[in-house]
Amino acid sequence: MAGEEEGEEMCINERLRDDELRAVLAKLETDKDKEVFGLVCKRWLYLQSTERKKLCARAGPHMLRKMAARFTRLKDLDLSQSVSRSFYPGVTDSDLSVIATGFTRLRLLKLQNCKGITDAGMAAVGSGLSSLQSLDVSYCRKLTDKGLSAVTEGCHDLKSLHLAGCRFVTNKLLESLSKNCPNLEELGLQGCTNITDTGLTALVNGCKHIKHLDVNKCTNVGDLGISAVAEACSTSLKTLKLLDCYKLGDKSILTVADLCKNLETLIIGGCRDLSSNSIKSLAASTHSLRILRMDWCLNVSDASLNHILSQCTCLEVLDIGCCEEVTDAAFEGLGNENEESGLGLKALKISNCQKLTVLGISMVLKACRSLEYLDVRSCPHVTKAGCEEAGLKFPESCKVNYTGSLVEPDILV
C-alpha cells in the first residue's frame, strides 16, 4: 500500500462485529482455546463469557448474581460438593433462589452432596427453571417429596433425575413424575428405601420412555415393580440396576429377558433368590448385554454361566464374585483357538469363587484375548505363584488383581 494507506493500522475490533467474533469463537474446539480467546481484551472476554454454556463453581448469592449477569447463555451449572471436603455453609436455598431467577436458560443443574438445601430451594428451582432437563440432587438428605414434586410440576421437560441417598423420597414423587414428566429417560433412586412396587408401577403409567433406571439398594422393590417397568419400557430400557434388591425372584428377571431386547447394563448383584434358569433366560434373550454384575447370586451354576459367556456376544464386563457354585467347568468350550479375537470380555471379576483353579483361568485366557482386568482375590486355588508355575500368559495390557492392591478400572460398575 502507498501514501496514507501505508500509515494506517488495522484494528480487528473495529473491523469485526460481535456476531462475527462469536462465529470465530464457535470455531474453536477445545475449552483451552476458548479461554485463550477471552484473554485478548475485555471485549473478547465479555463475548466469551456470554457464549459459555457450562460452568462448575463454588459461589455464594452475591457472586452468583455477578455470574448470572456475565454468563447469560449458561445451560449447564455444577455446584456439587465433594463428599470428603465439603465447605461450609455450602449451597443454600438462597443460592438456589438466585439461580432460579438469574440462570433461566439452564438445562442441567448438579447439586450432589449439597446437604444444606431444603424443599424451599427446590420450590424455587421448580418455579424459575421451566426449561430444566436434568437435575442431580444425590445425597441432599433434607429433600422430601414436597420440594421435588415442585420441580416435577414446574419442569415438564425433565429427562434426567438423580436422587441417590434421598431417604425421604416416597412413591408420591414417582406419581408426580408420572403425571408431569412424560419424557423422563433417566431416574436414579439408589438407597431410596421407601420406594415400592406400587411407586414403580405408577411411574411407568406416564413415563414410558425410561432408558436408565437405578434402584440399587431399594430393598422394598420386588417382582411386580420391575416387571411393570420391563413391560412399559421394553424398547427403551438400556440400563437396569437392582443391586441388593433381595425381594426379587425369577418372575421379574424372566420378564426383563423376554421383553427388554435393547438392555446393555444389568446389575443383579445380591439378588440371592434368582435361579439358574433365570440366568439362562438372560443368556438366550439379551444379546445386546455389555455389562452384567451378578455377584452374590448364589444359584449361578456352571451351565448358566457358560450360557452367558457363549451367547451374550457383546459382553465386555462380568462380575460373578462370591458365586460359590462356579467351577472350572463354566469356562469349558468357550471361543475357538483358531479365531483371532475370541470373546470380547474386557473385565472379569471372579473374587471369592472358592472352587476355581488355575486350570479355569487358563481357559479364560484362551477365550478372552482382549482381557484388561481380572480380579481373582480370595480364590484360594488361584495365586500369582500358581499362575506363573503353570506358565499362563496374560494379555499384555491385562492387570491381574490377586490381593486387592489394584484400583478397579472405570469400566466396572
Side-chain angles (χ1 to χ4, degrees):
M1 298 176 66
E4 294 181 354
E5 292 182 359
E6 291 182 350
E8 291 182 1
E9 294 184 1
M10 180 183 293
C11 177
I12 193 170
N13 277 335
E14 294 176 359
R15 296 299 180 101
L16 295 182
R17 302 186 306 273
D18 285 355
D19 60 329
E20 292 171 324
L21 283 173
R22 285 194 172 100
V24 172
L25 178 60
K27 295 289 185 180
L28 302 179
E29 295 181 355
T30 68
D31 290 339
K32 183 177 180 181
D33 287 342
K34 291 177 181 179
E35 293 295 335
V36 171
F37 179 95
L39 297 176
V40 174
C41 63
K42 289 183 177 180
R43 182 190 177 202
W44 288 36
L45 176 61
Y46 171 77
L47 291 173
Q48 184 255 356
S49 299
T50 58
E51 289 296 304
R52 187 160 186 165
K53 301 295 192 298
K54 184 176 181 180
L55 184 64
C56 181
R58 302 287 181 271
H62 178 66
M63 184 57 68
L64 282 170
R65 290 189 185 92
K66 287 188 173 183
M67 289 162 56
R70 178 179 174 186
F71 303 112
T72 56
R73 302 190 184 192
L74 202 70
K75 292 185 177 181
D76 184 342
L77 179 60
D78 187 352
L79 296 174
S80 298
Q81 295 182 233
S82 166
V83 177
S84 59
R85 301 181 64 184
S86 295
F87 62 95
Y88 183 83
V91 178
T92 65
D93 291 338
S94 297
D95 298 334
L96 293 183
S97 295
V98 173
I99 290 168
T101 56
F103 295 95
T104 55
R105 296 191 181 196
L106 272 189
R107 300 290 187 274
L108 291 89
L109 179 59
K110 297 179 182 179
L111 300 166
Q112 289 183 25
N113 294 297
C114 294
K115 299 180 178 65
I117 61 177
T118 71
D119 288 339
M122 287 295 100
V125 169
S127 64
L129 301 179
S130 60
S131 298
L132 197 67
Q133 295 180 359
S134 177
L135 176 65
D136 189 341
V137 288
S138 298
Y139 307 104
C140 298
R141 301 185 187 276
K142 294 181 180 181
L143 299 182
T144 73
D145 293 339
K146 181 180 179 181
L148 292 166
S149 292
V151 173
T152 66
E153 291 164 6
C155 307
H156 297 292
D157 292 332
L158 202 64
K159 292 183 178 180
S160 175
L161 180 61
H162 286 270
L163 304 168
C166 295
R167 56 184 178 177
F168 296 125
V169 167
T170 74
N171 293 335
K172 290 182 179 180
L173 177 62
L174 301 193
E175 293 170 4
S176 183
L177 279 167
S178 179
K179 181 180 178 181
N180 297 294
C181 303
N183 297 319
L184 190 71
E185 296 180 352
E186 188 168 336
L187 181 60
L189 296 167
Q190 179 178 325
C192 298
T193 53
N194 291 317
I195 298 299
T196 69
D197 291 338
T198 302
L200 289 180
T201 302
L203 172 71
V204 295
N205 281 337
C207 303
K208 298 181 181 295
H209 306 290
I210 293 177
K211 295 180 180 179
H212 306 277
L213 178 64
D214 182 350
V215 288
N216 283 348
K217 300 182 182 297
C218 292
T219 51
N220 286 309
V221 167
D223 284 335
L224 290 177
I226 298 305
S227 294
V229 171
E231 290 169 2
C233 307
S234 58
T235 58
S236 61
L237 197 63
K238 291 187 176 181
T239 299
L240 182 59
K241 299 185 178 182
L242 306 167
L243 181 69
D244 291 339
C245 294
Y246 59 81
K247 290 186 177 181
L248 287 180
D250 286 345
K251 180 181 178 181
S252 55
I253 300 305
L254 289 170
T255 304
V256 168
D258 184 45
L259 298 177
C260 302
K261 304 302 183 183
N262 297 316
L263 195 66
E264 296 180 358
T265 297
L266 178 62
I267 310 298
I268 50 175
C271 300
R272 302 190 180 196
D273 291 336
L274 301 183
S275 73
S276 184
N277 287 333
S278 63
I279 304 301
K280 287 181 180 179
S281 72
L282 287 171
S285 302
T286 52
H287 299 302
S288 59
L289 208 59
R290 292 179 51 252
I291 299 173
L292 176 60
R293 177 176 174 182
M294 50 183 187
D295 50 315
W296 286 103
C297 291
L298 302 182
N299 296 318
V300 174
S301 65
D302 289 338
S304 58
L305 179 55
N306 190 275
H307 276 69
I308 289 288
L309 289 167
S310 59
Q311 296 183 43
C312 296
T313 54
C314 295
L315 198 64
E316 296 180 1
V317 179
L318 177 64
D319 184 350
I320 54 168
C322 300
C323 293
E324 54 192 27
E325 296 302 315
V326 171
T327 73
D328 294 342
F331 304 103
E332 290 180 353
L334 295 177
N336 187 331
E337 291 190 25
N338 296 323
E339 294 179 359
E340 292 185 5
S341 58
L343 301 182
L345 207 62
K346 294 181 179 179
L348 176 62
K349 292 187 67 176
I350 51 177
S351 57
N352 281 289
C353 290
Q354 303 289 312
K355 297 180 180 180
L356 284 179
T357 72
V358 172
L359 176 62
I361 302 304
S362 68
M363 288 187 278
V364 168
L365 295 178
K366 287 180 181 179
C368 307
R369 294 163 206 155
S370 301
L371 205 61
E372 298 175 3
Y373 178 80
L374 177 64
D375 185 348
V376 293
R377 290 174 295 168
S378 300
C379 294
H381 305 298
V382 181
T383 63
K384 185 175 183 180
C387 290
E388 291 175 349
E389 184 178 342
L392 297 191
K393 294 183 178 180
F394 294 90
E396 186 175 345
S397 60
C398 183
K399 296 180 179 179
V400 185
N401 199 346
Y402 292 103
T403 61
S405 59
L406 295 179
V407 177
E408 291 187 346
D410 292 337
I411 195 172
L412 293 169
V413 179

